[in-house]
Amino acid sequence: MALRDTPLPETAGPVPSAPADAAPPPAPALDPTDRGRLLAGAHHDPHALLGAHPVPGGIAFRALRPFAREVSVVVDGARTPLVSEGDGLFSGLLPLDAVPAYTLAVAYGEDAAVEVHDPYRFLPALGEFDLHLIGEGRHEELWTALGAHPMTHQGVTGTRFTVWAPNAQGVRLAADFTHWDGTAFPMRSLGSSGVWELFLPGVGEGTCYKFEIHSRYGHRFLKADPMARRTEAPPNTASVVTSSDYVWGDAEWLERRAEVPVHEAPFSVYEVHLPSWRPGSTYRQLAEQLPAYVKDLGFTHVELMPVAEHPFGPSWGYQVTGFYAPTARLGSPDDFKFLVDALHRAGIGVIMDWVPAHFPKDDWALARFDGDPLYEPGDSRRAEHPDWGTYTFDFARTEVRNFLVANAVYWCQEFHIDGLRVDAVASMLYLDYSREDGQWEPNAHGGREDLAAVAFLQEMNATVYRRCPGVVTIAEESTAWGGVTRPTDTGGLGFGLKWNMGWMHDSLEYVAHEPVHRKYHHHEMTFAMVYAYSENYVLPISHDEVVHGKQALVSKMPGDWWQRRANVRAYLGFMWAHPGKQLLFMGQEFAQGAEWSEEQGPEWWLLDDGYHSAGDHRGVRDLVRDLNAHYRATPALWQRDTDPAGFRWVAVDAADDNVFAFLRYDAEGRPLLAVSNFSPVVRHAYALGVGDDVVAWREILNTDAAHYGGGNVTNPDPVKPEDGLVRLTLPPLATVWLAPVDL
């Protein structure tokens, strides 16, 4: 086995052999303890032992080149062979007054020697200010300081490798060109920072690497870089040296995205699992299809299920091992930028699922990174996530909090992400989440709140909003925690939006009942308005609701095929009119009947001309397109989402009729009337008290329209109120929207 050395760029070929009698005396012997620690990979300062150093009698040179046949020092073109000390160490004492500019000539086996730079002649390539910020936990661009960075250092091109491993006795770099043996490249510890550093000349983009950790317990193991910005495609697990030369084309998008606060703007989200949306497609292939599809349907944003690297595909990306790397399954980081750029140029915002609550236990990743709990708490009761068999993050540790806060900024800043949907917030907020008595300890005040997690979320939100104008953070928080979307300076968590899990659960429960039983569950559709303005809400019909036996949206509905589709159409019409933003998971826009499968993706064949029910599925998709079009064109549906004055019930207690009716108002007071009839009968001349402010109402959307697959029971002519009452024909299992019309 031989290590590959990269020749100097200016070297045309092998270096001629040196005369045999040119060998100098060996350098002074290393202290046996230092030598043993160096060779074991447990030395904190290999640069003090290797390289060139003044000693009595001249300059001592020492190199560690396992398996090398010979190593020479090259000064001013003259080669001086070093003496083998055994175990891959070579040394010599040259009668010089000062350390010269030098290189090494290294030969393996029968190969001729090649001239290379010595990594141990370079000063640290990481500055004191970076180390200071890391120590304080305030390095908001942490990815520029840690990880692998191609660069020019002291006039030489190479890659700087840095890693935080404060409990390690030693760290070495192992790579594809070392055959994953780290012996030749021990890294140095930079003071008390816990950061280890090595600049390797001649190493560049595309190199696969890991860190070989020597723990304080004497164990040695390989770890992927926590800050890797590119990884190998699973099942391979190495980190990859990368740099970006991507040129963005979305400047106009970025300039205007902060013009209107998100809670006062249209916000309709199409949730996508990229690997299965069009199975087998790359980021660049998706960029040719996804923006056009989403734009045609009128969604304002896409939400991408976690794109950060993860080892297990069926986890859907929610067990992350590469927090700074887009998954290599679909292409390179620049390919992912190309997709985001294409979506922006199509006028579509990009939200990304972000998973700071936990991480998997894979032994090559974050778990017990330097031999001790590091990213996870030391208390096993707090470290273990009981639901997912993973570790939780130690939010109380400064450096861990910095790792996550900087990660949130990284995606928004480097990949132009417009929003972070933060997964599993509830599991972070409560010390007793999914834990029984005796499995958790109260906080300092005797409560169940995780105060460190609260502080982390506040810091993350405040930092993202300060650094990235126009970005929105969204909490998947399933409890009644107060102030999720309240600003941090008033004690809130600082999110921009929160998933309304209560609305989702209650409304799906309601529509799953047979219409004859719905009157007993009427409150499940109205209760959300009791708390609708306590937070800034998103109404989510997400992937979680259409997997694991929960059935696809259309399959949750009662009745025959016609009734199930009618129920879905009525439900979507109710949802799009309800206060709050909208989110719909892929496949539900065309009433896919099967649960989602990450292996197969959406059942696109349902829309094919040859399929006998293709028209039924296209009808639902046409409705979604029209819902989005009317939604975006009607400020009453989004402009006052967080203002109680923007909503008024018209029919809140018509339980026997299965009817719901309400008014939405825009900032100018212009209304929209939404009426849902969740019974299977036509209701003629149904009276609703809307007042006399509007001269006449015109039906602008009816989910029972024939082109959606309905029975075409409509209100074709404008309807005038009489004595404050408007009398409408309500189609069965349908929602109608009406807007004012001037006669």
Side-chain angles (χ1 to χ4, degrees), residues 282-314:
T282 65
Y283 292 127
R284 288 184 178 265
Q285 290 168 334
L286 288 166
E288 298 173 359
Q289 305 172 61
L290 184 61
Y293 183 79
V294 176
K295 184 175 183 179
D296 174 65
L297 289 184
F299 288 96
T300 65
H301 291 73
V302 294
E303 181 175 310
L304 308 180
M305 291 170 66
V307 295
E309 193 58 87
H310 51 283
F312 184 52

Side-chain angles (χ1 to χ4, degrees), residues 366-381:
L366 290 183
R368 298 187 176 273
F369 184 78
D370 56 8
D372 285 280
L374 187 63
Y375 289 89
E376 68 273 33
D379 185 341
S380 61
R381 293 174 300 174

Side-chain angles (χ1 to χ4, degrees), residues 429-433 435 440-443 447-450:
L429 291 174
Y430 298 97
L431 295 167
D432 63 345
Y433 186 87
R435 291 175 171 87
W440 64 282
E441 285 189 357
N443 62 34
R448 55 196 284 256
E449 301 82 9
D450 189 328

